[in-house]
Amino acid sequence: MNSLLYNPLNNTSINTLNKVTLESCINKLLINQFHNAKINSEISSTTANKLNLNIKTELPNAKINNLKKVEILINPQKTNLKSSQFDKKINIDIYNHKKPGIVFDVDGVLVKGKNVLPETHKALKLLDKLNIPYMFLTNGGGKTEKKKAQELSQRFGVPIHEEQIVLGHSPMRMVPDEIKNKIALVIGPDTCKDVAKSYGFKKPIITKEIISWRPSIWPFENQKMLDCPYDLDNEFFGSVLMFNDSSTWGQDIQIACDILRSINGKLGTQQIPFEKQAVPCYFAAADLLWSNDFPLSRFGQGAFKIAFSKLFKELTGKTVEIIQYGKPEKTTYDYTKDLLEKYSKQYLNEEVSNVYAVGDNPSVDILGANNYGWHSILVRTGVFKVGENDKHYPAKTVVNNVLDSVKFILSQENLLNENEN
């Protein structure tokens, strides 16, 4: 650990020495990440063309970002300051300047389908330049956080870490081990099976594999099947996991309902009469709609959930019990907040103050941010396209695009320089 020492320092731009200019001098000593400087000893104004300052941390070896107090020694014998009143130490209390944290949705905010929106590159590079922490919180998924980070990094042209990624299914890492040890039906693209394994699920399976165990479970021609990895005649299911958007609604809903109506999770059995849902059911998201490069918004997992829930109730007379993750659920925001703070500390050595959430979907992004107490910002590049604000789920701020949202945040936090307007 090294003490911070500047001596001598030439600074011809500072002509007066008082509370304000002394703080300016500190900023010019490359510790402008600190603010709220408070001078314990009042100093009269004076004129000086050259200042020689000794700046040391009270605690030796402290990293510059962790400074709590700085001592400034002004020695008039080495400057052109005339009064001996400056031959003393001035204590200045320095507080870490906390940075705002930003949580971005992806689809409809940064990208539209396969196309990166034109404002995205400039917005993210500006944040990197100012060392401001940001995360990506999306109800999408179907891949690991590491793979998603690599994909976005390549598309956006900025380095992105997997710790900056929260997908709809990310909180499923927290599912208890006793459930993870049993067979889990995973709904979504085939890649979701590997994601589930990375979360600790020991026996994930997809409907294509179940159909090969007993093809009459979904009795239609030309079905795509994969070898079943488990002995479903003797093993029991422990959960149903809706990981990502389904492209095979019919077979997924049919088999999920079969498992939930079974006796203790044994596929092929049925409770008569139905009394209790056999296994827990988890959903990664509940978006009715999402935005891509097609002119109209597309059905999301929320649409699947409506169909699934309706059919389950028709079959059983009871409402399916779903443990819901994704936006706007509080569990997902707790998970994201914790990850944002850890990432900011580990990679940027910054503490987070205010959090801003930027999204395009009022019923998901804006509702979730408002409920959690974050500053919600609605952009007009996705599900929401026109109007002053959404009538049902109004955002605190509405802007045209992601770059405008970043500039708004920086102006709110007094971090926007004139050349960045």
Side-chain angles (χ1 to χ4, degrees):
M1 296 178 61
N2 301 316
S3 60
L4 177 66
L5 178 63
Y6 290 86
N7 184 32
L9 171 77
N10 293 334
N11 193 329
T12 58
S13 64
I14 299 179
N15 296 320
T16 60
L17 184 62
N18 52 35
K19 293 181 74 170
V20 175
T21 55
L22 188 54
E23 290 178 4
S24 298
C25 182
I26 294 172
N27 285 337
K28 291 179 183 297
L29 292 176
L30 304 179
I31 51 174
N32 60 345
Q33 62 265 54
F34 304 123
H35 69 166
N36 299 333
K38 298 179 180 179
I39 299 178
N40 297 330
S41 180
E42 189 73 25
I43 304 206
S44 305
S45 297
T46 187
T47 299
N49 292 324
K50 184 181 295 184
L51 299 179
N52 290 299
L53 305 181
N54 286 326
I55 300 184
K56 299 180 180 178
T57 59
E58 268 197 346
L59 299 175
N61 303 328
K63 292 183 179 179
I64 189 168
N65 282 355
N66 295 325
L67 288 177
K68 296 297 182 184
K69 181 175 287 187
V70 171
E71 288 186 353
I72 292 185
L73 173 62
I74 300 180
N75 189 338
Q77 296 179 356
K78 295 183 179 180
T79 70
N80 61 353
L81 301 179
K82 301 299 178 63
S83 173
S84 60
Q85 66 175 308
F86 298 108
D87 191 11
K88 61 181 180 181
K89 290 183 178 179
I90 305 160
N91 290 325
I92 300 178
D93 291 328
I94 305 292
Y95 299 91
N96 281 338
H97 184 186
K98 293 184 178 181
K99 293 290 183 67
I102 305 177
V103 177
F104 292 110
D105 182 30
V106 178
D107 295 302
V109 175
L110 303 167
V111 304
K112 291 277 282 186
K114 296 181 180 179
N115 301 315
V116 177
L117 291 173
E119 300 83 10
T120 296
H121 296 91
K122 188 171 182 180
L124 297 183
K125 287 181 179 179
L126 179 56
L127 295 177
D128 286 343
K129 176 182 175 182
L130 297 174
N131 213 43
I132 293 175
Y134 57 88
M135 303 282 293
F136 302 95
L137 171 58
T138 172
N139 280 353
K143 58 193 69 176
T144 64
E145 291 77 8
K146 182 177 181 178
K147 189 170 183 178
K148 185 68 172 181
Q150 292 170 343
E151 172 193 303
L152 294 183
S153 182
Q154 184 176 11
R155 296 181 73 184
F156 298 161
V158 296
I160 295 171
H161 302 276
E162 62 180 299
E163 292 86 354
Q164 290 175 270
I165 305 293
V166 179
L167 305 172
H169 45 66
S170 294
M172 289 189 189
R173 296 175 183 272
M174 301 183 296
V175 171
D177 288 341
E178 58 265 28
I179 295 176
K180 289 182 177 179
N181 290 333
K182 296 180 180 180
I183 298 176
L185 171 64
V186 177
I187 300 174
D190 295 354
T191 54
C192 291
K193 183 178 176 181
D194 291 331
V195 180
K197 286 182 177 179
S198 75
Y199 290 176
F201 289 90
K202 305 298 183 184
K203 298 181 178 181
I205 193 171
I206 57 179
T207 54
K208 292 178 185 177
E209 296 169 328
I210 294 174
I211 293 172
S212 71
W213 161 69
R214 192 170 295 180
S216 59
I217 198 171
W218 186 245
F220 299 97
E221 295 181 358
N222 301 320
Q223 293 304 309
K224 293 182 179 179
M225 294 184 287
L226 299 173
D227 291 340
C228 183
Y230 311 116
D231 180 8
L232 298 185
D233 289 316
N234 296 298
E235 294 197 60
F236 293 78
F237 281 79
S239 60
V240 170
L241 309 173
M242 181 68 185
F243 252 64
N244 198 230
D245 296 298
S246 168
S247 61
T248 52
W249 282 36
Q251 67 190 46
D252 291 341
I253 290 175
Q254 175 73 78
I255 295 175
C257 285
D258 288 344
I259 294 170
L260 297 184
R261 294 185 299 146
S262 69
I263 299 173
N264 298 324
K266 177 66 177 66
L267 186 58
T269 65
Q270 182 182 351
Q271 300 176 44
I272 303 176
F274 178 81
E275 294 183 356
K276 182 182 179 182
Q277 184 173 312
V279 300
C281 180
Y282 300 85
F283 264 65
D287 309 46
L288 177 64
L289 301 171
W290 65 285
S291 179
N292 64 0
D293 53 358
F294 191 75
L296 303 178
S297 297
R298 304 290 83 197
F299 284 144
Q301 289 182 53
F304 180 98
K305 181 181 177 181
I306 291 171
F308 170 62
S309 300
K310 177 67 175 175
L311 288 170
F312 183 85
K313 191 162 188 178
E314 287 291 326
L315 289 169
T316 66
K318 296 185 179 181
T319 300
V320 62
E321 298 176 8
I322 293 176
I323 301 169
Q324 184 67 65
Y325 293 131
K327 296 175 289 186
E329 300 300 317
K330 182 179 181 297
T331 302
T332 290
Y333 283 84
D334 287 337
Y335 185 89
T336 304
K337 176 178 177 289
D338 182 61
L339 206 60
L340 172 63
E341 291 174 349
K342 288 179 179 177
Y343 165 78
S344 181
K345 191 68 175 176
Q346 179 180 350
Y347 286 93
L348 304 178
N349 202 18
E350 298 283 1
E351 294 183 18
V352 176
S353 56
N354 303 316
V355 180
Y356 298 81
V358 184
D360 71 302
N361 192 331
S363 66
V364 176
D365 304 318
I366 303 308
L367 174 62
N370 287 344
N371 287 345
Y372 202 67
W374 288 351
H375 188 119
S376 58
I377 302 178
L378 181 61
V379 295
R380 296 186 176 95
T381 51
V383 173
F384 181 81
K385 293 181 174 66
V386 295
E388 292 299 316
N389 206 335
D390 185 75
K391 294 180 180 179
H392 301 289
Y393 307 104
K396 292 184 179 179
T397 304
V398 181
V399 297
N400 287 328
N401 54 61
V402 67
L403 181 58
D404 288 344
S405 75
V406 167
K407 289 183 177 180
F408 168 79
I409 294 167
L410 297 180
S411 67
Q412 289 291 108
E413 299 289 328
N414 297 316
L415 294 170
L416 186 63
N417 297 327
E418 291 183 4
N419 60 356
E420 291 162 351
N421 282 307

